[in-house]
């Protein structure tokens, strides 16, 4: 195929010409159906890869302890509340709590045996005057975790509590049931004998009831178990959800560009054509893309 033929086919597909009845083939109903079908097949293929290939992980996370405390303290400063100091014992307690949830396969503040968060804190050698706990699950970045906590009245109460002076975090990736899951445990505390910032009851701040996550992705039985506490860096795995979003947005952007070029050329050439349903079809696809990109992962408890 010579160069002129390639150029002619390109223009036929992307611009209005006499060869396509002055309608870009890229905006035809059959072409849009192909795009939608491709996205469905693409997502199914990724899900199958995640099931049989250990190098594919349904949830790739970029959650770090440094970012979690940064965003937490930023929110406290915005509200005129003293910042928290990262405490190693509280982080150990948070790690032990997350490990216990995976080992015993539960997703709650209290274990099936009745062990509460305060038991993990004292076992880590932290004698508290005040203590609290926040949990999050299946988020992909630190900012999303803190934002979700801030959007929940009960979790925001912990984040904005001036009684707390220190905090610990654990970010854990492991298998819960048949699915790869990312847990974030946040432990708050003020040591016994410390002068409280404000008056408060001596008992720990009540934790919040846990509910199930909205979205989970399957992984193979042989999947690698990631380090229990991720202090920095990103999980070097393929994010299937992110790939789908990228491909979807690429197709949507291509169609919007074609639509704008089509409208411009039709206007310049003063082309008269019978109105069709291409715009309606494109709007349907656009809504699908928007919905796909509005899907968020993760819940807080």
């Amino acid at each position: 195929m010579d160069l002129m033929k390639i150029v002619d086919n390109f223009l036929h597909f992307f611009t209005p010409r006499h060869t396509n009845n002055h309608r870009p083939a890229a905006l035809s109903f059959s072409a849009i159906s192909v795009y939608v079908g491709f996205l469905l097949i693409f997502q199914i293929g990724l899900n199958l890869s995640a099931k049989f290939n250990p190098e594919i992980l349904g949830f790739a996370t970029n959650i770090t302890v440094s970012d979690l405390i940064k965003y937490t303290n930023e929110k406290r400063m915005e509200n005129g509340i003293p910042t928290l100091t990262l405490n190693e014992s509280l982080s150990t307690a948070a790690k032990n709590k997350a490990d216990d949830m995976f080992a015993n396969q539960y997703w709650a503040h209290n274990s099936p045996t009745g062990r509460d968060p305060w038991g993990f804190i004292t076992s880590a050698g932290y004698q508290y005057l005040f203590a609290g706990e926040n949990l999050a699950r299946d988020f992909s970045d630190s900012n999303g975790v803190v934002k979700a906590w801030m959007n929940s009245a009960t979790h925001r109460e912990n984040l904005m509590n001036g009684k707390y002076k220190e905090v610990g975090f654990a970010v854990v990736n492991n298998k819960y049931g048949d699915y790869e899951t990312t847990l974030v445990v946040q432990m708050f505390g003020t040591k016994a004998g410390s002068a409280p910032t404000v008056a408060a009851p001596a008992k720990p701040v009540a934790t919040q009831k846990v509910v199930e996550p909205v979205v989970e992705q399957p992984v193979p039985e042989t999947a690698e178990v990631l380090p229990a506490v991720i202090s920095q860096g990103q999980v070097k795995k393929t994010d299937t959800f992110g790939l789908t979003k990228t491909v979807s947005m690429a197709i949507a952007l291509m169609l919007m560009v074609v639509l704008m070029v089509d409208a411009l050329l039709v206007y310049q050439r003063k082309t008269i054509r019978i109105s069709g349903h291409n715009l309606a079809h494109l709007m349907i696809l656009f809504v699908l893309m928007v919905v796909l990109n509005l899907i968020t992962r993760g819940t807080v408890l």
Side-chain angles (χ1 to χ4, degrees):
M1 183 179 295
D2 57 28
L3 180 61
M4 291 301 296
K5 184 67 173 177
I6 294 175
V7 172
D8 188 65
N9 288 338
F10 179 86
L11 294 176
H12 173 84
F13 191 76
F14 290 107
T15 65
R17 309 179 75 216
H18 66 281
T19 57
N20 54 27
N21 197 27
H22 302 285
R23 295 181 185 278
L27 298 180
S28 66
F29 178 77
S30 58
I32 292 177
S33 299
V34 169
Y35 306 146
V36 174
F38 169 77
L39 287 175
L40 293 175
I41 294 173
F42 182 76
Q43 184 61 53
I44 292 173
L46 286 179
N47 290 341
L48 290 176
S49 296
K51 184 175 182 179
F52 297 109
N53 187 345
E55 292 305 312
I56 303 294
L57 181 66
F59 290 101
T61 60
N62 189 23
I63 303 176
T64 69
V65 171
S66 58
D67 281 343
L68 287 170
I69 192 169
K70 169 189 171 184
Y71 293 127
T72 295
N73 280 334
E74 282 180 356
K75 297 300 182 184
R76 288 173 69 92
M77 286 189 293
E78 289 173 4
N79 289 272
I81 302 169
T83 58
L84 299 169
T85 302
L86 188 64
N87 181 274
E88 183 177 350
S89 295
L90 287 175
S91 291
T92 298
K95 174 187 180 298
N96 292 341
K97 171 62 181 293
D99 287 344
D100 190 66
M101 282 192 285
F102 279 122
N104 294 290
Q105 292 292 285
Y106 69 95
W107 175 227
H109 287 285
N110 295 335
S111 73
T113 61
R115 190 179 185 186
D116 58 29
W118 330 125
F120 291 98
I121 293 176
T122 55
S123 294
Y126 191 96
Q127 299 302 315
Y128 63 85
L129 176 63
F130 307 112
E133 178 185 71
N134 279 343
L135 301 178
R137 181 174 175 179
D138 294 331
F139 287 86
S140 60
D141 61 80
S142 305
N143 196 29
V145 173
V146 176
K147 281 185 176 179
W149 281 334
M150 288 295 292
N151 289 333
S152 166
T154 49
H155 296 85
R156 178 187 174 95
E157 184 178 350
N158 266 343
L159 280 171
M160 297 292 102
N161 197 326
K163 308 178 192 72
Y164 300 137
K165 294 186 176 182
E166 297 173 311
V167 68
F169 295 96
V171 181
V172 183
N173 290 270
N174 208 326
K175 237 181 174 183
Y176 180 74
D178 295 328
Y179 303 101
E180 187 81 7
T181 301
T182 301
L183 302 182
V184 179
V185 180
Q186 182 183 43
M187 295 281 198
F188 301 92
T190 296
K191 290 180 180 178
S194 300
T197 303
V198 295
K203 64 186 299 184
V205 175
T207 57
Q208 313 307 322
K209 187 178 179 181
V210 181
V211 295
E212 289 301 312
V214 176
V215 181
E216 295 179 326
Q217 297 288 346
V219 296
E221 293 292 330
T222 57
E224 173 191 4
V225 177
L226 302 176
V229 179
I230 302 175
S231 59
Q232 57 182 332
Q234 181 174 351
V235 181
K236 299 301 183 180
K237 296 283 187 177
T238 301
D239 183 357
T240 59
F241 184 87
L243 277 176
T244 302
K245 285 183 63 176
T246 300
V247 172
S248 300
M249 290 307 298
I251 293 176
L253 180 61
M254 181 269 290
L255 290 175
M256 285 189 287
V257 171
V258 172
L259 185 62
M260 288 188 292
V261 171
D262 175 60
L264 178 63
L265 292 179
V266 168
Y267 174 78
Q268 289 180 340
R269 298 169 183 174
K270 303 187 183 303
T271 303
I272 299 176
R273 62 188 183 192
I274 299 175
S275 177
H277 298 288
N278 287 332
L279 182 57
H281 298 152
L282 192 61
M283 288 302 297
I284 292 173
L285 182 62
F286 179 75
V287 169
L288 291 176
M289 301 298 182
V290 171
V291 170
L292 178 63
N293 282 275
L294 288 177
I295 295 175
T296 57
R297 301 176 295 187
T299 53
V300 297
L301 297 308

